[in-house]
Amino acid sequence: MDNLSTTEENYIKAIYHLQQADSTVSTNDVAAKLNTKAASVTDMLKRLNTKQVLNYEKYRGFSLSDEGERVALGIVRKHRLWEFFLVEKLQFGWDEVHAIAEELEHITSKVLIERLDNFLGNPKFDPHGDPIPDSNGKIQTLPQINLVDMPIGETAKVSAVGSQSTELLELLTHKKIAIGTPITIKKKFSFDNSLEIETYSDQRFTISRELALALFVTKQQL
Amino acid sequence: MDNLSTTEENYIKAIYHLQQADSTVSTNDVAAKLNTKAASVTDMLKRLNTKQVLNYEKYRGFSLSDEGERVALGIVRKHRLWEFFLVEKLQFGWDEVHAIAEELEHITSKVLIERLDNFLGNPKFDPHGDPIPDSNGKIQTLPQINLVDMPIGETAKVSAVGSQSTELLELLTHKKIAIGTPITIKKKFSFDNSLEIETYSDQRFTISRELALALFVTKQQL
DNA sequence: TAAATATTTTAGGCAAATCTAAATTATTTA
DNA sequence: TAAATAATTTAGATTTGCCTAAAATATTTA
Ligand SMILES: [Mn+2]
Ligand SMILES: [Mn+2]
Ligand SMILES: [Mn+2]
Ligand SMILES: [Mn+2]
């Protein structure tokens, strides 16, 4: 059920992520995500169907098989563990690691990834707050909500970011907000939908709606 | 001068290593090293010639261009740094790392390898004792000799091994010999060409000619 | 040096992954 | 519901990397 090419793995992962966001995924969705053409996607869908990782009926749609999902989770696991390594051990910024992890996720050694996991202390979340599947493909999901949906007076910890852009990282670094930072909503201004928040006892300031939309929080401990 | 495929990189590295061992390299040599066929090698030689990494004239021979050598040293650098990482940080045995490094050496990020180098403490030699080229492609060569060529009474440190087999590793582990271990030649037996050696003050024993041939030593400090 | 042998290259073909353009099928809209 | 539009698939090419068999060239040997 293995011996998949890097290209096939990238398709499987793309379909997995698209399915997470919206259970019905189209040929065009995949083409857009992978910067390729619909005709190329159709070719690949037929191959993935033959390889049993996809259930595909032409013109009717497709979805990952159980085996396909297992494969996808394995790639996601590798991607996120490598991202964690790059940020924690090699001092990369979270905005720099995605492209590198996109290559590292295809290194095939099974034992390598298990040892890397141990070396890193078996992290449960990557630098963007996304959960790292365990070796069985189990994902520890956090009950997280968008910061704009949190009621006034409540406190929760930043658990994930909705974007990996350099611009967001720059802003968060400047405001000393990171994954794990506790945030309390102090006030909401309806004029521009900005929010007044408190991070530590002495840190109280206003953030834009755009920024709040890019932050997810949870009351669970990370 | 970049955008080389993994396959092209593997050919360049193979030609580099073959040139190190013997300055004239044949099509068949490359085919043997890469487990492929002479006709495939010829195809690739033409492509590498077009890409300026190889000087090639049909039926007359070929050799890496300066640019080709630069590329080769970059791949060797990545290969050996990753091997060092696998052994030092992830507790792999030296006999397990080659295949994994064979994949990792093709990860493209320039900054990744520089940060990895720093993270590892800028090692000069890989787990097999082979020198790691610096970021400019400079190699720190040690004046090393084969253990069988060392005179009686002299002491030197193990600097490299001539094989990466599990069998050799098992034997060296059992005899407590590693890269850096000082060895003194005590006696040579002409009957079977075995050698009596001393490692630490209280460790004195005989090794076979086969084992001695697999060990290289240097008087310089590692 | 001429024949035998070995090496290298060419010819022709195949599979993976991609593309554009055209055809087919599904969905929307009037 | 029929036409228009959108989505998907097919047809036919291209590039990379590889193969086998045959041809060309180089080297060795008698
Ligand atoms: Mn990828
Ligand atoms: Mn991530
Ligand atoms: Mn390789
Ligand atoms: Mn090595």
Side-chain angles (χ1 to χ4, degrees):
Chain A
M1 336 297 203
D2 262 33
N3 67 332
L4 295 159
S5 70
T6 292
T7 309
E8 289 167 340
E9 288 192 347
N10 282 336
Y11 271 92
I12 292 168
K13 197 183 66 162
I15 294 168
Y16 172 81
H17 284 311
L18 289 168
Q19 276 185 351
Q20 295 294 106
D22 183 346
S23 59
T24 95
V25 180
S26 73
T27 304
N28 277 338
D29 290 342
V30 177
K33 181 129 192 167
L34 293 178
N35 282 307
T36 186
K37 299 299 151 75
S40 305
V41 174
T42 300
D43 287 347
M44 184 58 85
L45 294 178
K46 285 192 268 189
R47 279 236 308 289
L48 295 179
N49 183 60
T50 304
K51 293 204 174 191
Q52 317 260 2
V53 291
L54 199 73
N55 303 310
Y56 169 66
E57 285 174 89
K58 68 173 173 176
Y59 289 115
R60 312 243 11 264
F62 55 88
S63 64
L64 290 178
S65 67
D66 288 354
E67 171 64 11
E69 203 152 313
R70 221 211 72 231
V71 170
L73 284 162
I75 305 164
V76 168
R77 169 170 166 78
K78 289 194 276 183
H79 185 103
R80 292 180 179 166
L81 280 172
W82 280 117
E83 282 188 343
F84 188 94
F85 168 73
L86 293 172
V87 169
E88 292 300 314
K89 301 292 183 181
L90 302 192
Q91 272 75 53
F92 279 94
W94 82 25
D95 57 323
E96 306 173 292
V97 299
H98 191 80
I100 303 176
E102 204 58 45
E103 294 182 48
L104 285 165
E105 72 190 358
H106 304 289
I107 302 293
T108 53
S109 170
K110 216 81 192 145
V111 55
L112 168 61
I113 209 65
E114 297 319 314
R115 296 212 186 178
L116 180 66
D117 189 24
N118 268 307
F119 175 63
L120 299 174
N122 310 105
K124 297 289 170 280
F125 298 91
D126 84 1
H128 310 105
D130 294 316
I132 300 174
D134 71 16
S135 54
N136 300 312
K138 273 261 159 52
I139 283 190
Q140 185 171 324
T141 48
L142 281 183
Q144 61 185 15
I145 58 167
N146 197 269
L147 189 60
V148 299
D149 298 324
M150 191 155 78
I152 292 174
E154 281 199 23
T155 301
K157 283 184 181 171
V158 175
S159 55
V161 291
S163 150
Q164 303 176 198
S165 71
T166 305
E167 291 74 16
L168 175 59
L169 175 59
E170 181 197 11
L171 179 55
L172 291 182
T173 303
H174 183 253
K175 297 218 177 291
K176 297 201 172 64
I177 297 173
I179 305 284
T181 302
I183 289 184
T184 310
I185 304 288
K186 287 299 179 180
K187 218 165 176 351
K188 295 186 179 189
F189 299 99
S190 56
F191 173 71
D192 58 0
N193 292 301
S194 63
L195 301 175
E196 189 178 58
I197 66 172
E198 191 176 272
T199 53
Y200 301 105
S201 40
D202 54 342
Q203 303 279 353
R204 191 166 173 155
F205 49 85
T206 299
I207 64 172
S208 68
R209 176 171 172 81
E210 287 86 343
L211 178 53
L213 279 169
L215 294 175
F216 294 86
V217 296
T218 180
K219 290 185 181 165
Q220 313 290 114
Q221 58 196 353
L222 276 183
Chain B
M1 335 298 203
D2 262 32
N3 66 332
L4 295 159
S5 71
T6 292
T7 309
E8 289 167 339
E9 288 192 347
N10 282 336
Y11 271 91
I12 292 167
K13 196 183 66 162
I15 294 168
Y16 172 82
H17 284 311
L18 290 167
Q19 277 185 349
Q20 295 296 105
D22 184 345
S23 58
T24 94
V25 180
S26 73
T27 303
N28 277 336
D29 290 342
V30 178
K33 181 127 191 167
L34 293 178
N35 283 308
T36 184
K37 298 300 152 73
S40 304
V41 174
T42 300
D43 287 347
M44 183 59 86
L45 294 179
K46 285 192 268 190
R47 280 233 308 290
L48 294 178
N49 183 60
T50 305
K51 293 205 175 191
Q52 316 261 3
V53 291
L54 198 75
N55 302 310
Y56 169 67
E57 284 175 271
K58 68 175 173 175
Y59 288 116
R60 313 244 9 263
F62 54 88
S63 65
L64 290 179
S65 68
D66 288 353
E67 172 63 13
E69 204 152 311
R70 221 210 73 230
V71 170
L73 284 161
I75 304 164
V76 169
R77 170 170 165 77
K78 289 194 277 182
H79 185 102
R80 292 180 179 167
L81 279 172
W82 280 117
E83 282 189 344
F84 188 95
F85 168 74
L86 294 172
V87 169
E88 292 300 313
K89 302 292 182 180
L90 301 193
Q91 272 75 53
F92 279 95
W94 82 23
D95 57 323
E96 305 173 294
V97 299
H98 191 80
I100 302 175
E102 205 57 46
E103 293 183 48
L104 285 165
E105 71 190 358
H106 304 289
I107 301 294
T108 55
S109 171
K110 216 80 193 146
V111 55
L112 168 60
I113 209 68
E114 297 319 314
R115 296 211 188 180
L116 180 66
D117 189 23
N118 267 306
F119 175 63
L120 299 175
N122 310 104
K124 297 289 170 280
F125 298 92
D126 84 359
H128 311 104
D130 295 314
I132 299 174
D134 71 15
S135 53
N136 300 311
K138 275 261 159 54
I139 283 190
Q140 186 172 323
T141 48
L142 281 182
Q144 63 184 14
I145 58 168
N146 197 270
L147 190 60
V148 298
D149 298 323
M150 192 155 76
I152 291 175
E154 280 198 25
T155 301
K157 283 183 180 171
V158 175
S159 56
V161 290
S163 150
Q164 304 175 196
S165 71
T166 304
E167 291 74 16
L168 175 59
L169 176 59
E170 180 197 11
L171 180 53
L172 292 182
T173 303
H174 182 253
K175 297 217 177 291
K176 296 201 172 67
I177 297 173
I179 305 283
T181 302
I183 289 184
T184 309
I185 304 288
K186 288 297 179 183
K187 221 168 174 347
K188 296 187 178 189
F189 299 100
S190 56
F191 174 70
D192 58 0
N193 293 301
S194 62
L195 302 174
E196 189 179 58
I197 66 172
E198 191 175 272
T199 54
Y200 302 104
S201 43
D202 55 338
Q203 303 281 351
R204 192 163 172 159
F205 49 86
T206 299
I207 64 172
S208 69
R209 174 171 172 79
E210 287 86 344
L211 177 53
L213 278 168
L215 294 175
F216 294 85
V217 296
T218 179
K219 291 184 178 163
Q220 313 291 114
Q221 58 195 352
L222 275 183

